[in-house]
Structures are given as structure tokens and as C-alpha cells.
Amino acid sequence: GAGVSQSPSNKVTEKGKDVELRCDPISGHTALYWYRQSLGQGLEFLIYFQGNSAPDKSGLPSDRFSAERTGGSVSTLTIQRTQQEDSAVYLCASSGGGPPTDTQYFGPGTRLTVL
Amino acid sequence: AQSVTQLGSHVSVSEGALVLLRCNYSSSVPPYLFWYVQYPNQGLQLLLKYTSAATLVKGINGFEAEFKKSETSFHLTKPSAHMSDAAEYFCAVTHEGGTGNQFYFGTGTSLTVIP
């Protein structure tokens, strides 16, 4: 594909429901990142995958958040029992190598609204 | 610990005028610094990066930034603003050997270009 894609672009859900957000990285990219962008805030790191290594989950805000990456490609971020404070734009990025200097290519994001 | 501060959440300039977006960093180790641009409904795109080589870094679309260690700054400039430069700009910091969870983004500066 031409770039990183994310789906859905917008998601409105009710408090307490589970949501799944999908990220398709650039083909061949080994590194994949998830960030959260809240109104008026910078990007907040959530989780990082690098190749077949165990993911770095140190940024996940609670155990309601989880992510997986299947076959070293597509990633899904799952938020269980959503809360209103989870409302944000969730951004995915991929890079061809590892940090810190490899350029991250970002998707357009998923805007999550929890009512 | 590392962080960046972007002074001015909103900046307005006239078309053809100088663009100056400010970024100050805090870092206990030599930093790597980045500027990203986010156009409406699009993902972040790398403008330029500093990784300990030349202190004056030139990026895409006529932007450049200068690393000033004495001022702990990495301000983004462009001599003449175009309407197409209207976007959100983010500064980010990491360091040599930094891992995937060690990119720290500023809160962003929204640039408006007045015709």
C-alpha cells in the first residue's frame, strides 16, 4: 500500500462498550507504534511493536487497553469497557527499522468518541 | 528525562511573511529532534530531523530548523509562508539509543496563513 491506513476513521460508541481499532502499516515495515492524541495534548505513546520481539506496552494507560499484531503486519488496538476519557484520536505509525532515527510514517488516525 | 515545549498553540502569519514556530527541549542526554506536520484529516508527516550532524537542518517544503544547544531550542522557520503551509506542527525529541517508547511530542502549534 501507499501508506499507513487506519479503520474506522471515526467511531462513536457508548460508555462501557468494547471497541477495536485497526492499523495496516506500510508493507515490510517492522516497527509499529500506537499513540493517543487528546484535545490540546501532544501525542501520548501507547505501545510499540518491533519485529517478533515482545511489544513494549509501557504506555498503555490501563488494563482495559490491549493491542496485538498478527503476522508482523496488521495491528488491532482494543479498548474494553470504554470510558468518556478514552475519547481521543488514536494514531498508528510504522517504520522500516527501529528507533530512534528511522522515520515514522503515520496513518490518518481513528477519532473515537465515547458517549 | 526528556520533554519538549512548543510556545504558542496558535500562530498566524500573512502569506509571504516569515514563519517561526518555537520548540524548546529538555534532555539529560544529547537529543535527537524532529518536526512533523499534520494537515487536516491526514497523518503526521516528517518535515525534518536533527540527529547530531549539522546543526542547521533543511527539510521539505522550504522549512528549516537550527539546533541551538545553548538555548535548548530547535525552532522551525520558513522565509515566506504559503497558504498551503496552514497545518498543525509538532516538535518531538528522543535520543541516541532511544527505544520506541521514548519519543516525546509537544502539544502542537496550529499555523494559520492569512491571504
Side-chain angles (χ1 to χ4, degrees):
Chain A
V4 178
S5 61
Q6 293 186 245
S7 60
S9 55
N10 281 284
K11 176 71 176 179
V12 180
T13 190
E14 295 180 346
K15 177 181 174 181
K17 300 286 189 182
D18 298 351
V19 296
E20 286 189 350
L21 312 180
R22 177 186 169 106
C23 172
D24 282 88
I26 293 173
S27 178
H29 277 191
T30 58
L32 187 147
Y33 306 74
W34 282 99
Y35 295 91
R36 179 167 68 176
Q37 184 179 19
S38 303
L39 190 63
Q41 304 293 316
L43 276 69
E44 174 190 6
F45 167 80
L46 296 177
I47 187 169
Y48 162 65
F49 297 88
Q50 174 62 283
N52 295 321
S53 301
D56 180 341
K57 305 178 182 180
S58 59
L60 295 178
S62 77
D63 59 8
R64 296 186 296 105
F65 288 72
S66 62
E68 63 177 18
R69 189 178 185 192
T70 54
S73 181
V74 171
S75 178
T76 302
L77 177 69
T78 301
I79 309 174
Q80 296 178 309
R81 304 181 302 281
T82 52
Q83 304 294 312
Q84 289 183 333
E85 60 263 30
D86 299 333
S87 296
V89 176
Y90 289 83
L91 295 170
C92 174
S94 69
S95 68
T101 56
D102 244 51
T103 298
Q104 295 183 46
Y105 294 86
F106 284 80
T110 294
R111 182 176 297 278
L112 175 66
T113 302
V114 182
L115 301 178
Chain B
Q2 294 184 296
S3 65
V4 292
T5 301
Q6 292 183 241
L7 295 176
S9 58
H10 293 88
V11 171
S12 294
V13 299
S14 297
E15 189 175 16
L18 171 72
V19 176
L20 171 61
L21 303 181
R22 299 178 185 274
C23 173
N24 287 86
Y25 70 90
S26 173
S27 181
S28 56
V29 294
Y32 289 173
L33 293 154
F34 304 76
W35 275 100
Y36 285 85
V37 61
Q38 186 178 30
Y39 298 105
N41 300 316
Q42 295 186 28
L44 277 72
Q45 177 184 0
L46 182 67
L47 274 177
L48 49 80
K49 61 184 178 183
Y50 165 78
T51 56
S52 75
T55 57
L56 181 62
V57 182
K58 295 185 183 298
I60 62 172
N61 301 339
F63 284 94
E64 63 181 37
E66 186 172 8
F67 171 69
K68 292 187 176 181
K69 183 178 178 180
S70 61
E71 299 178 7
T72 62
S73 69
F74 190 59
H75 301 331
L76 182 71
T77 61
K78 182 174 180 178
S80 176
H82 294 167
M83 296 298 295
S84 60
D85 294 328
E88 188 90 14
Y89 292 80
F90 293 91
C91 183
V93 64
T94 185
H95 60 277
E96 183 178 5
T99 56
N101 66 349
Q102 292 176 316
F103 277 88
Y104 302 98
F105 287 82
T107 53
T109 297
S110 177
L111 176 66
T112 299
V113 182
I114 303 167

mmCIF file of all heavy atoms in Angstrom, chain B residues 23-64:
data_model
loop_
_atom_site.group_PDB
_atom_site.id
_atom_site.type_symbol
_atom_site.label_atom_id
_atom_site.label_comp_id
_atom_site.label_asym_id
_atom_site.label_seq_id
_atom_site.Cartn_x
_atom_site.Cartn_y
_atom_site.Cartn_z
ATOM 1 N N CYS B 23 10.242 25.727 19.505
ATOM 2 C CA CYS B 23 10.322 24.451 20.218
ATOM 3 C C CYS B 23 11.532 24.512 21.142
ATOM 4 O O CYS B 23 12.658 24.750 20.686
ATOM 5 C CB CYS B 23 10.454 23.278 19.260
ATOM 6 S SG CYS B 23 10.749 21.680 20.057
ATOM 7 N N ASN B 24 11.296 24.300 22.415
ATOM 8 C CA ASN B 24 12.384 24.163 23.375
ATOM 9 C C ASN B 24 12.335 22.764 23.970
ATOM 10 O O ASN B 24 11.263 22.228 24.216
ATOM 11 C CB ASN B 24 12.273 25.218 24.474
ATOM 12 C CG ASN B 24 12.635 26.592 23.972
ATOM 13 O OD1 ASN B 24 11.794 27.309 23.438
ATOM 14 N ND2 ASN B 24 13.893 26.948 24.099
ATOM 15 N N TYR B 25 13.479 22.206 24.193
ATOM 16 C CA TYR B 25 13.540 20.841 24.687
ATOM 17 C C TYR B 25 14.231 20.795 26.035
ATOM 18 O O TYR B 25 14.976 21.702 26.421
ATOM 19 C CB TYR B 25 14.272 19.930 23.688
ATOM 20 C CG TYR B 25 15.751 20.208 23.587
ATOM 21 C CD1 TYR B 25 16.662 19.560 24.412
ATOM 22 C CD2 TYR B 25 16.232 21.152 22.679
ATOM 23 C CE1 TYR B 25 18.014 19.840 24.347
ATOM 24 C CE2 TYR B 25 17.582 21.433 22.604
ATOM 25 C CZ TYR B 25 18.467 20.786 23.426
ATOM 26 O OH TYR B 25 19.802 21.077 23.362
ATOM 27 N N SER B 26 13.972 19.710 26.728
ATOM 28 C CA SER B 26 14.673 19.393 27.961
ATOM 29 C C SER B 26 15.183 17.972 27.821
ATOM 30 O O SER B 26 14.413 17.067 27.472
ATOM 31 C CB SER B 26 13.730 19.505 29.163
ATOM 32 O OG SER B 26 14.353 19.042 30.341
ATOM 33 N N SER B 27 16.471 17.798 28.045
ATOM 34 C CA SER B 27 17.034 16.461 27.873
ATOM 35 C C SER B 27 18.317 16.322 28.671
ATOM 36 O O SER B 27 19.180 17.196 28.619
ATOM 37 C CB SER B 27 17.318 16.198 26.389
ATOM 38 O OG SER B 27 17.845 14.903 26.196
ATOM 39 N N SER B 28 18.448 15.207 29.366
ATOM 40 C CA SER B 28 19.647 14.947 30.152
ATOM 41 C C SER B 28 20.738 14.276 29.317
ATOM 42 O O SER B 28 21.850 14.067 29.808
ATOM 43 C CB SER B 28 19.295 14.068 31.355
ATOM 44 O OG SER B 28 18.684 12.879 30.918
ATOM 45 N N VAL B 29 20.403 13.950 28.085
ATOM 46 C CA VAL B 29 21.357 13.340 27.155
ATOM 47 C C VAL B 29 21.267 14.103 25.831
ATOM 48 O O VAL B 29 20.279 14.813 25.597
ATOM 49 C CB VAL B 29 21.044 11.839 26.928
ATOM 50 C CG1 VAL B 29 21.244 11.043 28.208
ATOM 51 C CG2 VAL B 29 19.625 11.659 26.395
ATOM 52 N N PRO B 30 22.295 13.983 24.984
ATOM 53 C CA PRO B 30 22.206 14.666 23.695
ATOM 54 C C PRO B 30 20.939 14.255 22.951
ATOM 55 O O PRO B 30 20.679 13.063 22.782
ATOM 56 C CB PRO B 30 23.469 14.188 22.973
ATOM 57 C CG PRO B 30 24.432 13.906 24.072
ATOM 58 C CD PRO B 30 23.591 13.331 25.189
ATOM 59 N N PRO B 31 20.163 15.220 22.500
ATOM 60 C CA PRO B 31 18.858 14.888 21.910
ATOM 61 C C PRO B 31 18.915 14.661 20.410
ATOM 62 O O PRO B 31 19.811 15.139 19.717
ATOM 63 C CB PRO B 31 18.043 16.144 22.210
ATOM 64 C CG PRO B 31 19.058 17.254 22.091
ATOM 65 C CD PRO B 31 20.340 16.661 22.645
ATOM 66 N N TYR B 32 17.933 13.915 19.950
ATOM 67 C CA TYR B 32 17.561 13.910 18.547
ATOM 68 C C TYR B 32 16.226 14.653 18.480
ATOM 69 O O TYR B 32 15.338 14.415 19.305
ATOM 70 C CB TYR B 32 17.368 12.494 18.003
ATOM 71 C CG TYR B 32 18.626 11.679 17.835
ATOM 72 C CD1 TYR B 32 18.549 10.336 17.479
ATOM 73 C CD2 TYR B 32 19.902 12.221 18.021
ATOM 74 C CE1 TYR B 32 19.688 9.560 17.309
ATOM 75 C CE2 TYR B 32 21.039 11.453 17.852
ATOM 76 C CZ TYR B 32 20.926 10.123 17.502
ATOM 77 O OH TYR B 32 22.055 9.358 17.329
ATOM 78 N N LEU B 33 16.069 15.521 17.520
ATOM 79 C CA LEU B 33 14.884 16.374 17.462
ATOM 80 C C LEU B 33 14.216 16.284 16.101
ATOM 81 O O LEU B 33 14.889 16.142 15.070
ATOM 82 C CB LEU B 33 15.289 17.823 17.758
ATOM 83 C CG LEU B 33 15.773 18.045 19.193
ATOM 84 C CD1 LEU B 33 16.710 19.232 19.276
ATOM 85 C CD2 LEU B 33 14.585 18.232 20.127
ATOM 86 N N PHE B 34 12.904 16.388 16.110
ATOM 87 C CA PHE B 34 12.100 16.204 14.906
ATOM 88 C C PHE B 34 11.023 17.284 14.840
ATOM 89 O O PHE B 34 10.523 17.749 15.869
ATOM 90 C CB PHE B 34 11.386 14.839 14.932
ATOM 91 C CG PHE B 34 12.287 13.658 15.110
ATOM 92 C CD1 PHE B 34 12.834 13.352 16.348
ATOM 93 C CD2 PHE B 34 12.590 12.831 14.042
ATOM 94 C CE1 PHE B 34 13.672 12.254 16.520
ATOM 95 C CE2 PHE B 34 13.414 11.728 14.194
ATOM 96 C CZ PHE B 34 13.953 11.434 15.428
ATOM 97 N N TRP B 35 10.660 17.637 13.623
ATOM 98 C CA TRP B 35 9.456 18.404 13.367
ATOM 99 C C TRP B 35 8.570 17.609 12.419
ATOM 100 O O TRP B 35 9.015 17.122 11.387
ATOM 101 C CB TRP B 35 9.763 19.761 12.725
ATOM 102 C CG TRP B 35 10.098 20.848 13.702
ATOM 103 C CD1 TRP B 35 11.332 21.313 14.034
ATOM 104 C CD2 TRP B 35 9.161 21.628 14.470
ATOM 105 N NE1 TRP B 35 11.233 22.322 14.963
ATOM 106 C CE2 TRP B 35 9.918 22.540 15.240
ATOM 107 C CE3 TRP B 35 7.773 21.648 14.570
ATOM 108 C CZ2 TRP B 35 9.316 23.457 16.106
ATOM 109 C CZ3 TRP B 35 7.185 22.558 15.426
ATOM 110 C CH2 TRP B 35 7.957 23.448 16.179
ATOM 111 N N TYR B 36 7.287 17.514 12.811
ATOM 112 C CA TYR B 36 6.284 16.862 11.991
ATOM 113 C C TYR B 36 5.198 17.875 11.653
ATOM 114 O O TYR B 36 4.914 18.794 12.423
ATOM 115 C CB TYR B 36 5.629 15.701 12.735
ATOM 116 C CG TYR B 36 6.465 14.454 12.854
ATOM 117 C CD1 TYR B 36 7.386 14.298 13.883
ATOM 118 C CD2 TYR B 36 6.321 13.408 11.936
ATOM 119 C CE1 TYR B 36 8.146 13.145 13.988
ATOM 120 C CE2 TYR B 36 7.071 12.246 12.050
ATOM 121 C CZ TYR B 36 7.976 12.127 13.076
ATOM 122 O OH TYR B 36 8.722 10.983 13.181
ATOM 123 N N VAL B 37 4.540 17.661 10.519
ATOM 124 C CA VAL B 37 3.398 18.480 10.122
ATOM 125 C C VAL B 37 2.184 17.579 9.942
ATOM 126 O O VAL B 37 2.323 16.437 9.475
ATOM 127 C CB VAL B 37 3.692 19.277 8.821
ATOM 128 C CG1 VAL B 37 3.996 18.354 7.641
ATOM 129 C CG2 VAL B 37 2.517 20.194 8.476
ATOM 130 N N GLN B 38 1.041 18.079 10.361
ATOM 131 C CA GLN B 38 -0.209 17.332 10.210
ATOM 132 C C GLN B 38 -1.220 18.207 9.494
ATOM 133 O O GLN B 38 -1.700 19.202 10.058
ATOM 134 C CB GLN B 38 -0.744 16.891 11.568
ATOM 135 C CG GLN B 38 -1.967 15.996 11.493
ATOM 136 C CD GLN B 38 -2.430 15.557 12.873
ATOM 137 O OE1 GLN B 38 -2.265 16.246 13.861
ATOM 138 N NE2 GLN B 38 -3.034 14.369 12.930
ATOM 139 N N TYR B 39 -1.530 17.838 8.260
ATOM 140 C CA TYR B 39 -2.573 18.536 7.525
ATOM 141 C C TYR B 39 -3.932 17.972 7.930
ATOM 142 O O TYR B 39 -4.019 16.830 8.407
ATOM 143 C CB TYR B 39 -2.339 18.391 6.019
ATOM 144 C CG TYR B 39 -1.032 19.001 5.564
ATOM 145 C CD1 TYR B 39 0.057 18.199 5.238
ATOM 146 C CD2 TYR B 39 -0.874 20.382 5.478
ATOM 147 C CE1 TYR B 39 1.261 18.744 4.841
ATOM 148 C CE2 TYR B 39 0.331 20.937 5.080
ATOM 149 C CZ TYR B 39 1.388 20.113 4.779
ATOM 150 O OH TYR B 39 2.583 20.658 4.390
ATOM 151 N N PRO B 40 -4.989 18.725 7.757
ATOM 152 C CA PRO B 40 -6.321 18.261 8.163
ATOM 153 C C PRO B 40 -6.649 16.877 7.610
ATOM 154 O O PRO B 40 -6.438 16.605 6.421
ATOM 155 C CB PRO B 40 -7.245 19.331 7.595
ATOM 156 C CG PRO B 40 -6.405 20.571 7.553
ATOM 157 C CD PRO B 40 -5.019 20.084 7.218
ATOM 158 N N ASN B 41 -7.120 16.035 8.510
ATOM 159 C CA ASN B 41 -7.560 14.680 8.159
ATOM 160 C C ASN B 41 -6.448 13.805 7.571
ATOM 161 O O ASN B 41 -6.730 12.843 6.838
ATOM 162 C CB ASN B 41 -8.738 14.733 7.179
ATOM 163 C CG ASN B 41 -9.926 15.462 7.780
ATOM 164 O OD1 ASN B 41 -10.285 15.240 8.935
ATOM 165 N ND2 ASN B 41 -10.506 16.356 7.008
ATOM 166 N N GLN B 42 -5.221 14.160 7.878
ATOM 167 C CA GLN B 42 -4.093 13.354 7.421
ATOM 168 C C GLN B 42 -3.209 12.980 8.601
ATOM 169 O O GLN B 42 -3.316 13.558 9.688
ATOM 170 C CB GLN B 42 -3.270 14.102 6.374
ATOM 171 C CG GLN B 42 -4.016 14.384 5.078
ATOM 172 C CD GLN B 42 -3.103 14.997 4.031
ATOM 173 O OE1 GLN B 42 -1.891 14.771 4.017
ATOM 174 N NE2 GLN B 42 -3.692 15.782 3.139
ATOM 175 N N GLY B 43 -2.345 12.000 8.386
ATOM 176 C CA GLY B 43 -1.384 11.618 9.415
ATOM 177 C C GLY B 43 -0.234 12.592 9.501
ATOM 178 O O GLY B 43 -0.057 13.457 8.649
ATOM 179 N N LEU B 44 0.554 12.472 10.547
ATOM 180 C CA LEU B 44 1.740 13.305 10.694
ATOM 181 C C LEU B 44 2.765 12.924 9.638
ATOM 182 O O LEU B 44 2.947 11.755 9.317
ATOM 183 C CB LEU B 44 2.362 13.123 12.087
ATOM 184 C CG LEU B 44 1.773 13.920 13.235
ATOM 185 C CD1 LEU B 44 0.409 13.391 13.622
ATOM 186 C CD2 LEU B 44 2.722 13.905 14.431
ATOM 187 N N GLN B 45 3.455 13.933 9.137
ATOM 188 C CA GLN B 45 4.472 13.747 8.110
ATOM 189 C C GLN B 45 5.761 14.410 8.587
ATOM 190 O O GLN B 45 5.742 15.545 9.058
ATOM 191 C CB GLN B 45 3.994 14.382 6.797
ATOM 192 C CG GLN B 45 4.981 14.324 5.664
ATOM 193 C CD GLN B 45 4.462 15.053 4.426
ATOM 194 O OE1 GLN B 45 3.366 15.599 4.423
ATOM 195 N NE2 GLN B 45 5.257 15.059 3.375
ATOM 196 N N LEU B 46 6.872 13.690 8.464
ATOM 197 C CA LEU B 46 8.148 14.234 8.909
ATOM 198 C C LEU B 46 8.585 15.395 8.022
ATOM 199 O O LEU B 46 8.647 15.275 6.801
ATOM 200 C CB LEU B 46 9.217 13.151 8.883
ATOM 201 C CG LEU B 46 10.596 13.572 9.373
ATOM 202 C CD1 LEU B 46 10.567 13.879 10.870
ATOM 203 C CD2 LEU B 46 11.636 12.481 9.090
ATOM 204 N N LEU B 47 8.886 16.533 8.658
ATOM 205 C CA LEU B 47 9.429 17.692 7.946
ATOM 206 C C LEU B 47 10.946 17.656 7.901
ATOM 207 O O LEU B 47 11.561 17.893 6.869
ATOM 208 C CB LEU B 47 9.002 18.987 8.646
ATOM 209 C CG LEU B 47 7.662 19.623 8.296
ATOM 210 C CD1 LEU B 47 7.450 20.838 9.182
ATOM 211 C CD2 LEU B 47 7.589 19.993 6.832
ATOM 212 N N LEU B 48 11.527 17.402 9.070
ATOM 213 C CA LEU B 48 12.981 17.360 9.174
ATOM 214 C C LEU B 48 13.366 16.763 10.515
ATOM 215 O O LEU B 48 12.529 16.649 11.412
ATOM 216 C CB LEU B 48 13.576 18.768 9.017
ATOM 217 C CG LEU B 48 12.981 19.901 9.856
ATOM 218 C CD1 LEU B 48 13.510 19.905 11.275
ATOM 219 C CD2 LEU B 48 13.264 21.255 9.206
ATOM 220 N N LYS B 49 14.662 16.386 10.610
ATOM 221 C CA LYS B 49 15.134 15.827 11.867
ATOM 222 C C LYS B 49 16.594 16.191 12.092
ATOM 223 O O LYS B 49 17.369 16.338 11.134
ATOM 224 C CB LYS B 49 14.950 14.311 11.915
ATOM 225 C CG LYS B 49 15.712 13.538 10.840
ATOM 226 C CD LYS B 49 15.366 12.044 10.938
ATOM 227 C CE LYS B 49 16.068 11.247 9.837
ATOM 228 N NZ LYS B 49 15.683 9.800 9.877
ATOM 229 N N TYR B 50 16.957 16.325 13.333
ATOM 230 C CA TYR B 50 18.323 16.571 13.758
ATOM 231 C C TYR B 50 18.804 15.349 14.538
ATOM 232 O O TYR B 50 18.172 14.953 15.526
ATOM 233 C CB TYR B 50 18.404 17.820 14.649
ATOM 234 C CG TYR B 50 19.702 17.914 15.395
ATOM 235 C CD1 TYR B 50 20.858 18.347 14.759
ATOM 236 C CD2 TYR B 50 19.781 17.543 16.727
ATOM 237 C CE1 TYR B 50 22.069 18.406 15.438
ATOM 238 C CE2 TYR B 50 20.981 17.596 17.411
ATOM 239 C CZ TYR B 50 22.120 18.025 16.767
ATOM 240 O OH TYR B 50 23.316 18.071 17.434
ATOM 241 N N THR B 51 19.924 14.778 14.064
ATOM 242 C CA THR B 51 20.457 13.593 14.751
ATOM 243 C C THR B 51 21.951 13.743 14.960
ATOM 244 O O THR B 51 22.727 12.823 14.678
ATOM 245 C CB THR B 51 20.147 12.321 13.958
ATOM 246 O OG1 THR B 51 20.674 12.465 12.619
ATOM 247 C CG2 THR B 51 18.665 12.058 13.882
ATOM 248 N N SER B 52 22.368 14.892 15.436
ATOM 249 C CA SER B 52 23.724 15.184 15.898
ATOM 250 C C SER B 52 24.715 15.457 14.773
ATOM 251 O O SER B 52 25.905 15.470 15.017
ATOM 252 C CB SER B 52 24.260 14.074 16.807
ATOM 253 O OG SER B 52 24.610 12.932 16.064
ATOM 254 N N ALA B 53 24.259 15.675 13.576
ATOM 255 C CA ALA B 53 25.146 16.076 12.489
ATOM 256 C C ALA B 53 25.095 17.615 12.389
ATOM 257 O O ALA B 53 25.269 18.299 13.388
ATOM 258 C CB ALA B 53 24.769 15.395 11.189
ATOM 259 N N ALA B 54 24.842 18.154 11.230
ATOM 260 C CA ALA B 54 24.790 19.597 11.053
ATOM 261 C C ALA B 54 23.693 20.209 11.922
ATOM 262 O O ALA B 54 22.590 19.666 12.011
ATOM 263 C CB ALA B 54 24.534 19.942 9.588
ATOM 264 N N THR B 55 24.008 21.330 12.545
ATOM 265 C CA THR B 55 23.024 21.943 13.440
ATOM 266 C C THR B 55 21.907 22.659 12.690
ATOM 267 O O THR B 55 20.831 22.857 13.237
ATOM 268 C CB THR B 55 23.707 22.947 14.381
ATOM 269 O OG1 THR B 55 24.394 23.922 13.588
ATOM 270 C CG2 THR B 55 24.693 22.238 15.295
ATOM 271 N N LEU B 56 22.156 23.045 11.438
ATOM 272 C CA LEU B 56 21.110 23.638 10.610
ATOM 273 C C LEU B 56 20.577 22.540 9.700
ATOM 274 O O LEU B 56 21.306 22.015 8.862
ATOM 275 C CB LEU B 56 21.651 24.808 9.796
ATOM 276 C CG LEU B 56 20.621 25.523 8.917
ATOM 277 C CD1 LEU B 56 19.517 26.143 9.765
ATOM 278 C CD2 LEU B 56 21.309 26.584 8.053
ATOM 279 N N VAL B 57 19.329 22.241 9.897
ATOM 280 C CA VAL B 57 18.721 21.128 9.170
ATOM 281 C C VAL B 57 17.694 21.667 8.187
ATOM 282 O O VAL B 57 16.834 22.463 8.564
ATOM 283 C CB VAL B 57 18.035 20.149 10.145
ATOM 284 C CG1 VAL B 57 17.451 18.976 9.379
ATOM 285 C CG2 VAL B 57 19.006 19.677 11.205
ATOM 286 N N LYS B 58 17.795 21.228 6.966
ATOM 287 C CA LYS B 58 16.820 21.634 5.946
ATOM 288 C C LYS B 58 15.853 20.490 5.697
ATOM 289 O O LYS B 58 16.258 19.313 5.630
ATOM 290 C CB LYS B 58 17.533 22.019 4.652
ATOM 291 C CG LYS B 58 18.413 23.268 4.808
ATOM 292 C CD LYS B 58 19.000 23.703 3.496
ATOM 293 C CE LYS B 58 19.929 24.902 3.682
ATOM 294 N NZ LYS B 58 19.215 26.096 4.211
ATOM 295 N N GLY B 59 14.588 20.850 5.574
ATOM 296 C CA GLY B 59 13.579 19.828 5.375
ATOM 297 C C GLY B 59 12.787 20.057 4.103
ATOM 298 O O GLY B 59 13.208 20.794 3.215
ATOM 299 N N ILE B 60 11.628 19.446 4.072
ATOM 300 C CA ILE B 60 10.785 19.564 2.889
ATOM 301 C C ILE B 60 10.016 20.876 2.900
ATOM 302 O O ILE B 60 9.889 21.527 3.941
ATOM 303 C CB ILE B 60 9.806 18.380 2.773
ATOM 304 C CG1 ILE B 60 8.859 18.345 3.984
ATOM 305 C CG2 ILE B 60 10.563 17.065 2.652
ATOM 306 C CD1 ILE B 60 7.751 17.326 3.857
ATOM 307 N N ASN B 61 9.521 21.254 1.737
ATOM 308 C CA ASN B 61 8.650 22.427 1.591
ATOM 309 C C ASN B 61 9.302 23.729 2.031
ATOM 310 O O ASN B 61 8.603 24.672 2.410
ATOM 311 C CB ASN B 61 7.330 22.228 2.347
ATOM 312 C CG ASN B 61 6.560 21.014 1.867
ATOM 313 O OD1 ASN B 61 6.771 20.543 0.756
ATOM 314 N ND2 ASN B 61 5.701 20.485 2.701
ATOM 315 N N GLY B 62 10.618 23.810 1.992
ATOM 316 C CA GLY B 62 11.311 25.047 2.303
ATOM 317 C C GLY B 62 11.524 25.334 3.768
ATOM 318 O O GLY B 62 12.002 26.411 4.145
ATOM 319 N N PHE B 63 11.177 24.394 4.646
ATOM 320 C CA PHE B 63 11.358 24.574 6.080
ATOM 321 C C PHE B 63 12.777 24.218 6.503
ATOM 322 O O PHE B 63 13.423 23.370 5.883
ATOM 323 C CB PHE B 63 10.366 23.711 6.861
ATOM 324 C CG PHE B 63 8.969 24.249 6.874
ATOM 325 C CD1 PHE B 63 8.050 23.829 5.930
ATOM 326 C CD2 PHE B 63 8.584 25.176 7.833
ATOM 327 C CE1 PHE B 63 6.759 24.330 5.938
ATOM 328 C CE2 PHE B 63 7.296 25.681 7.849
ATOM 329 C CZ PHE B 63 6.381 25.260 6.903
ATOM 330 N N GLU B 64 13.233 24.881 7.544
ATOM 331 C CA GLU B 64 14.492 24.512 8.151
ATOM 332 C C GLU B 64 14.424 24.771 9.651
ATOM 333 O O GLU B 64 13.536 25.489 10.144
ATOM 334 C CB GLU B 64 15.669 25.262 7.525
ATOM 335 C CG GLU B 64 15.647 26.764 7.696
ATOM 336 C CD GLU B 64 16.852 27.409 7.009
ATOM 337 O OE1 GLU B 64 17.265 26.954 5.932
ATOM 338 O OE2 GLU B 64 17.362 28.402 7.574
#
